[in-house]
Amino acid sequence: MSVPLYHVLVLAAVMFAMGLACVVAWRANVIMMLIGIEIMLNAVMLVFVGGSAHWGIADGQLFALMLMALTSAEVSLALAMVVYLHRRKHSVNTDHFDSMRG
Amino acid sequence: MQTYLSLMLLFPLVGGLASALLGRKLPRVLVEGIACAAVWGSFACAALAAAAYAAPETVTVAGWFASFDLDIPISLYLDPLSLSLAVMIGFVCGLIHIYAVFYMRSEEDYPRFFALLNIFVFAMLTLVLAESLPLLYLGWEGVGFCSYLLIGFWYTDKNNADAGRKAFITTRIGDTALMVALAWLFQLFGTLSVSKLNGMGFLMPGSIITALGILFLVAAMGKSAQVPLMVWLPDAMAGPTPVSAMIHAATMVTAGVYLLARMFPLIGGSATVLSAIAVTGGVTAFYGATCALAQRDLKRVLAFSTISQIGYMMLGVGAGAVTAATFHLLVHAFFKALLFLGAGCVITAMHHEQDIFKMGGLRRSLPLTFWNFLAGAACLAGLPLTGGFFSKDSILMAVWHKGGALYQFLYLLALATALITAYYAFRMVYLVFGGPGGDGHLQSGSELKVMQLVLIPLALLGLFGGLFNLPAYIGEGYLNRLFAGVAGGAPGGGSHLEEIVMQAIAGALALAGLLAAYLRYGKGRAQRLEEAGSQPSLLGSFLAHGWYFDNLYNLILIRPYRALAAVLWQRLDEGVIDDSLDRLAHALGRTGSWLGRWSTGRVSIYLISFAAGGGVILGYLAWLAL
């Protein structure tokens, strides 16, 4: 049996909305924001895999694998930057880093 | 022949490059030796070429441009005209180089000087030997460029640098005319070879030939310092004296006459062009002579005399007598180099004093210079039996035989000029060498001795230059025979008696000028010196300032140009272009900083905006789907 594409898409949309809500809700904490972004990325990967299964083409799965590699690299960088930011201002609240104000 | 001609050009070029590139590394004696050896080597090649010369010859050295229908090889053309000039250039420049070695003994920057001097010779020889007009033009620009650098040789003094610029810019006006003529000739005939063009003049209607001739005349006016483009030559005295001697005698100013003589078969077909050339020459001869009357600076007297003598040559070309013009060109080269080098000796001895009213009595302290200078002045004045007498007379003869009211008027003008010439030449001699004094503190040294020795061969050539082309009643002229095959080279008609009468008139006028100079500056010397201290008369200052041509050009050309430049600079460039760009940049900057207020720098606000934007797009899509 196979899960219909429609269901997969609904699940992905729900996951994406949850990830976004996480990012928006914990915007005072950069680590929580990163977690939210990961969830959103996973939602995207789920869409790729679902699409790939639906049409029987491997491209989507390949892309999901590439996204995994990409996110692992991104997270390692992002965590390093979080450590750095924390060292500078003893804070992980993004609103404290507003030197890009116009 | 090819070897001779190529080496004739290569020697000065290599010498110049060697001095320019290695001059600072080599010992001074070597640099000076290379410079002199290069020019004398070139002269030796010219002499060998003259010995081997049988008939006009074209030698192709190498290819240059070849694309579509444009084919310009580097080819050299040897005919009587270029041959006689090349020999003269090699010889006179060789002597001037030797002189320069001693004249510039105390100069620190000698490699630059000798490099430029050699390249100057190279450029002039290229001009003279060129078979195609582009190659000639290359030499033409080469002499202009070298003269610019050499006139402004002592460039740290602003006046000298300005004089160099003036010479360059003024001659540039003529160069432009030459460039236009070249382009037009190629469009008309499809070739730029001199010998081919000279045989094709009949193909074109007279009006086009006239226009081309006028363009060539304008080019010659610039280079040969003819009215109205003569203002640069008196100022060119700013350069070292050997440079003045080169510019006035062998290189540079004779180039214009040479160009007209070279293109004579083409442009000589138009009577209008010939008249224009003759009028230019006649007026310039008169102008130069009158201005020389009132000069106080020794070198400026000589400068105006050059303008005047070149005017004679132009008059000769205008009368269709290329032989006579070339004859005068050669003899003039000898005696003008002699006069300039003699003046250099005088100036060196006088501790760089150039005012002739402050000199005097030098015949006792500088006897060798005196006798040589006297020979030069006699040639310039055209005293009977000197070289200048015969050459000037052959031009006068040609003008007379040309006939017609215009040429008869020009003949009278030229006679009057001859009288004035004799007068100012001996005015100079009497003021510099005559009178008491002269035994005071003169600079002397071994340099001066050698410099004086260089004058002797030039003086001999000037005095006996008449032997090159004796009048028909004495014997057959050498140049006449040589030039027999050249268009415009045939000697003018006229009986021997007529020729003798005309020479007698010219000789008498020259002697009259000498007598007048003697009465006024020989006997009345003390009175003249007294007058010189007071305010000059109206006519005197009119002549001394070269008929105020500089002021005229200042009024009608330079001041309007400066005013226009000021308007364009302050109103147009700064006012319109710069200002509008400044305003635009300012406005963009302000817009940017106003828009920049939208960016708060707070990530949370961006995130919410992002989410809200995404929500709006989704809502829109959902609304579309439903």
Side-chain angles (χ1 to χ4, degrees):
Chain A
M1 64 157 269
S2 67
V3 182
L5 181 63
Y6 183 67
H7 291 186
V8 175
L9 287 181
V10 167
L11 179 62
V14 170
M15 267 174 75
F16 191 87
M18 282 163 68
L20 189 63
C22 171
V23 169
V24 171
W26 272 287
R27 60 181 184 271
N29 189 337
V30 76
I31 295 173
M32 293 308 288
M33 278 168 72
L34 279 173
I35 292 171
I37 289 169
E38 287 303 313
I39 292 171
M40 285 156 79
L41 276 169
N42 282 336
V44 172
M45 266 189 279
L46 193 57
V47 174
F48 272 119
V49 174
S52 172
H54 180 74
W55 284 292
I57 299 170
D59 293 11
Q61 294 181 32
L62 282 177
F63 216 95
L65 286 172
M66 272 173 64
L67 266 178
M68 277 179 207
L70 194 123
T71 45
S72 59
E74 177 242 313
V75 165
S76 62
L77 262 179
L79 284 177
M81 277 164 72
V82 168
V83 172
Y84 174 72
L85 289 177
H86 188 259
R87 254 191 225 156
R88 276 190 61 179
K89 287 202 173 173
H90 295 288
S91 158
V92 286
N93 187 347
T94 50
D95 285 348
H96 290 165
F97 301 96
D98 59 351
S99 56
M100 288 285 278
R101 192 173 47 225
Chain B
M1 192 57 83
Q2 177 163 11
T3 324
Y4 296 151
L5 292 187
S6 333
L7 281 180
M8 204 195 300
L9 290 181
L10 277 181
F11 272 130
L13 179 63
V14 171
L17 291 179
S19 315
L21 298 176
L22 305 171
R24 302 217 169 268
K25 307 277 178 207
L26 299 176
R28 180 169 192 142
V29 182
L30 196 58
V31 173
E32 292 168 347
I34 288 174
C36 291
V39 181
W40 282 107
S42 173
F43 170 67
C45 291
L48 288 171
Y53 176 78
E57 201 173 332
T58 305
V59 173
T60 303
V61 179
W64 191 13
F65 292 136
S67 64
F68 301 107
D69 48 353
L70 179 72
D71 183 23
I72 308 167
I74 299 184
S75 55
L76 307 173
Y77 183 57
L78 199 68
D79 74 338
L81 187 62
S82 54
L83 178 66
S84 51
L85 252 75
V87 174
M88 178 276 286
I89 291 167
F91 184 71
V92 173
C93 290
L95 286 178
I96 293 174
H97 272 69
I98 294 180
Y99 183 92
V101 166
F102 295 95
Y103 189 85
M104 302 298 274
R105 256 291 136 83
S106 52
E107 173 62 46
E108 287 301 312
D109 206 0
Y110 60 93
R112 180 163 60 98
F113 183 73
F114 285 109
L116 287 173
L117 227 50
N118 270 356
I119 305 255
F120 205 176
V121 176
F122 164 72
M124 188 66 191
L125 284 173
T126 311
L127 194 166
V128 167
L129 291 173
E131 203 275 334
S132 60
L133 282 172
L135 193 59
L136 184 145
Y137 187 76
L138 210 65
W140 183 272
E141 292 293 350
V143 292
F145 178 63
C146 289
S147 67
Y148 158 68
L149 289 176
L150 283 167
I151 291 168
F153 181 72
W154 288 312
Y155 56 86
T156 43
D157 185 350
K158 185 173 179 299
N159 286 337
N160 296 346
D162 282 347
R165 273 196 287 272
K166 187 174 177 184
F168 196 66
I169 293 167
T170 316
T171 52
R172 201 109 271 273
I173 298 170
D175 298 350
T176 312
L178 184 56
M179 195 71 235
V180 174
L182 255 60
W184 197 10
L185 276 173
F186 183 71
Q187 194 251 324
L188 287 176
F189 296 103
T191 176
L192 285 168
S193 148
V194 171
S195 42
K196 280 186 196 154
L197 285 176
N198 276 340
M200 299 209 290
F202 63 90
L203 292 173
M204 286 294 145
S207 53
I208 289 183
I209 296 294
T210 306
L212 282 169
I214 297 295
L215 284 172
F216 277 119
L217 174 62
V218 174
M221 276 174 184
K223 211 54 138 191
S224 288
Q226 301 293 294
V227 173
L229 297 178
M230 69 292 164
V231 286
W232 64 271
L233 195 57
D235 288 357
M237 294 298 101
T241 303
V243 173
S244 309
M246 290 252 288
I247 290 178
H248 287 254
T251 54
M252 189 80 183
V253 290
T254 51
V257 180
Y258 173 78
L259 177 72
L260 293 180
R262 173 52 81 216
M263 301 313 291
F264 187 80
L266 177 69
I267 60 178
S270 161
T272 322
V273 171
L274 285 188
S275 312
I277 296 174
V279 168
T280 309
V283 169
T284 311
F286 184 71
Y287 165 82
T290 52
C291 292
L293 276 178
Q295 301 302 318
R296 295 180 59 122
D297 184 320
L298 179 56
K299 285 175 79 178
R300 280 181 83 89
V301 178
L302 293 175
F304 277 112
S305 83
T306 303
I307 293 179
S308 171
Q309 298 299 310
I310 302 275
Y312 269 114
M313 295 171 208
M314 296 284 267
L315 185 59
V317 174
V322 173
T323 316
T326 316
F327 183 26
H328 195 54
L329 197 160
L330 297 176
V331 176
H332 172 259
F334 296 132
F335 72 71
K336 188 49 61 71
L338 167 63
L339 284 171
F340 262 109
L341 298 185
C345 291
V346 170
I347 292 165
T348 308
M350 295 291 290
H351 303 279
H352 296 277
E353 173 61 61
Q354 301 199 358
D355 189 345
I356 50 177
F357 282 93
K358 291 181 183 159
M359 299 176 182
L362 291 179
R363 69 179 180 284
R364 279 186 295 276
S365 44
L366 290 174
L368 194 55
T369 306
F370 167 61
W371 287 110
N372 285 311
F373 199 88
L374 187 65
C379 286
L380 173 61
L383 291 191
L385 302 185
T386 58
F389 172 71
F390 288 113
S391 59
K392 203 180 284 183
D393 193 66
S394 58
I395 288 175
L396 291 175
M397 281 276 292
V399 175
W400 178 254
H401 282 301
K402 185 83 177 170
L406 177 69
Y407 282 94
Q408 270 165 4
F409 168 73
L410 287 174
Y411 174 73
L412 292 178
L413 192 66
L415 274 187
T417 308
L419 176 69
I420 301 172
T421 306
Y423 180 69
Y424 76 72
F426 282 96
R427 164 184 179 267
M428 180 170 67
V429 171
Y430 275 118
L431 283 174
V432 174
F433 294 98
D439 20 59
H441 42 279
L442 286 181
Q443 185 170 331
S444 57
S446 55
E447 281 95 6
L448 197 57
K449 287 202 182 71
V450 184
M451 280 155 66
Q452 290 185 337
L453 287 179
V454 171
L455 305 180
I456 295 174
L458 287 172
L460 292 177
L461 277 169
L463 282 179
F464 299 109
L467 293 175
F468 288 130
N469 204 16
L470 285 172
Y473 60 85
I474 301 179
E476 197 191 5
Y478 170 69
L479 281 179
N480 272 345
R481 203 172 62 233
L482 191 63
F483 276 70
V486 179
S495 66
H496 292 175
L497 181 68
E498 200 181 0
E499 195 168 348
I500 293 175
V501 170
M502 291 180 68
Q503 293 199 333
I505 295 174
L509 278 174
L511 289 172
L514 167 61
L515 187 69
Y518 168 69
L519 289 177
R520 203 167 153 78
Y521 289 94
K523 276 192 152 180
R525 179 187 172 83
Q527 200 188 338
R528 295 288 96 72
L529 286 183
E530 211 170 285
E531 278 175 16
S534 61
Q535 195 71 20
S537 67
L538 212 58
L539 181 65
S541 77
F542 175 69
L543 294 178
H545 289 93
W547 296 16
Y548 289 120
F549 262 101
D550 271 334
N551 304 47
L552 178 70
Y553 289 163
N554 197 18
L555 192 69
I556 63 172
L557 294 174
I558 297 172
R559 275 174 54 185
Y561 184 79
R562 283 207 174 144
L564 181 67
V567 168
L568 288 180
W569 162 38
Q570 284 171 329
R571 296 279 157 74
L572 191 66
D573 187 42
E574 288 193 340
V576 178
I577 297 174
D578 280 8
D579 204 43
S580 59
L581 284 179
D582 282 351
R583 276 161 198 269
L584 184 65
H586 199 63
L588 283 178
R590 283 205 350 209
T591 318
S593 56
W594 181 74
L595 286 174
R597 290 192 303 189
W598 283 69
S599 60
T600 57
R602 294 171 61 154
V603 179
S604 53
I605 293 182
Y606 299 162
L607 276 174
I608 291 169
S609 319
F610 177 70
V616 168
I617 291 174
L618 273 181
Y620 174 69
L621 289 176
W623 178 67
L624 274 188
L626 291 177

